[in-house]
Amino acid sequence: MLSDYFLLAINSITHRKLRSWLTIIGIVIGIAAIVALISLSLGLQATVEEQFEAFGSDRILIAPKGFQGPGTQAEGLTDKDVGTLEKISEFETVSAGMTFPGEVEYKNEIRFPMVFGGKNSKEILEDTTDLETGRYLEDSDKFAAVIGSGIAKNLFDDEIRIRNKLTINGQDFRVIGILEPIGNQQDDNTIYIDLDTFREVFNQGSKVGFIATKVKPGSDIPQLQKKVERALEKARGDENFEVVTPEQILEQINQVLGVMQAVLVGIAAISLVVGAVGITNSMYTSVLERTRDIGIMKAIGAKNSHILSIFLIESGLMGLVGGFFGVILGTVISYGVSEFSTRAGFKLLFEINTTLILFGLFFAFLVGMLSGSLPAYQASKLKPVDALRYE
C-alpha cells in the first residue's frame, strides 16, 4: 500500500514538471544556504582549533588588559614583568614580543607589513611553523630577519631569498630564514626580528606587547595561572594585566562563532520559509486539480487517512528532492569558498560532514510534509459526493 502512495505522488509530481521544479527551487536555495553557512562556520572553527593546537595547550599568555592577540597593541608590560615570570620554576621558557607595522624597502619598493620583535622567538616559531629554507632566529642575531612566505613571494615584485637585504625603518637587515606557508594571511605576511633590535628600530625602550610562557610537563596549569597572577600583582602593584590559557581564548572564540552561526542560519532559514510557502501553495493547487480524483478514490473505498498519506508523501518528496539538490549545491559552495580563501592567503578547512548532509535531507523532507499538511488535511476531509460534483 505504501509503495502505491509513493507511485501516485511521483506520478503527480512528474505530471506537473514545471510547477514542481519551480516549487522545489525554493527548498533548494534554503537548504543550500543553511548547509553552506554551517559548513563554512564549522570549517572556520576547525581552522581556529588547529592553529591553537599548533600553539600548544601547555602555554600561559600574559598580556595587558584589553589585549586581542599578538597582532594588536596595548600598554602595560615591560622587561620587569618578564624577569618576574622567569623566576617561576614551573616555566620551561618565557618568551616576549611585540608587533608594529614597519616601513620595509626591498629593491626600491616600499611596503608596510607587520614586524614582530621577539625574545625566544625561535621557540615560538618552531612550535607553530616549519622552515622552508634557512634557519630560525636566535636572540643573538642582531639585524637579521626571518620572513613569512607571503613576504618572500608576494609582497614585492621580486622574490626575496636567503641572504637578501631588507631595509626596515631605515635599518638594513639580512634574511636568514623563510617560513613555510601557515595559511594565516597575517602570519604569512610578518617579518620576525630580535626583540632588542626591534626596540632599537622602533624606539620602544623596555616595553613588551605580550609574554608567552611554556609550562613544564606535569604542572597544574590552573594553579600555575593563579600563581602567576599573584606574582605579577605583587611585583607590579596593580592588576593591569591578564593571564589566560589557549583553552580560555578558544572558548571565547567558539562562543562568538556559535552566535555568528546561529544568526547566519536564521537568515538562511528565511529563504527556506519562502520555499515552504511555495510547497503549500502548490499542494493547494494540486488538491483543487484532483478534487474529482479524490472523490473517485473515496467512492471506491479510500479512507481519509489514505488521502492524507498520498498528499503528505507528495509534499514530503518535493521537500526531499529540494533537500538533495540543496545539499549538493551547499557543499559545492562551501568547498569553493574554502578553496578561494585558502588561495587568497587565509586557510579555511573543509570536510564533508555526513551528519550535516543527513540533517539537511531530513529537515527538507520534514519541511515539505509540514508545508503540505494543511492542504492534505483538507483533501482528506472532502466528501465523495461534493468531490465528484466538482468541476
Side-chain angles (χ1 to χ4, degrees), residues 100-104 110-115 151 155-156 169 189:
F100 279 145
E103 182 184 280
V104 180
I110 296 177
R111 300 289 186 270
F112 296 89
M114 299 303 292
V115 180
I151 297 288
L155 189 63
F156 297 96
N169 285 14
N189 287 279

Side-chain angles (χ1 to χ4, degrees), residues 90-136:
E90 289 88 347
F91 288 141
E92 187 173 305
T93 58
V94 177
S95 306
M98 59 194 315
T99 307
F100 279 145
E103 182 184 280
V104 180
E105 182 178 351
Y106 178 67
K107 292 188 176 179
N108 297 321
E109 291 184 70
I110 296 177
R111 300 289 186 270
F112 296 89
M114 299 303 292
V115 180
F116 175 86
K119 177 180 180 180
N120 289 336
S121 59
K122 177 183 178 182
E123 188 264 339
I124 296 176
L125 291 174
E126 282 180 329
D127 286 348
T128 55
T129 185
D130 295 323
L131 277 170
E132 182 178 282
T133 184
R135 64 178 178 84
Y136 288 109

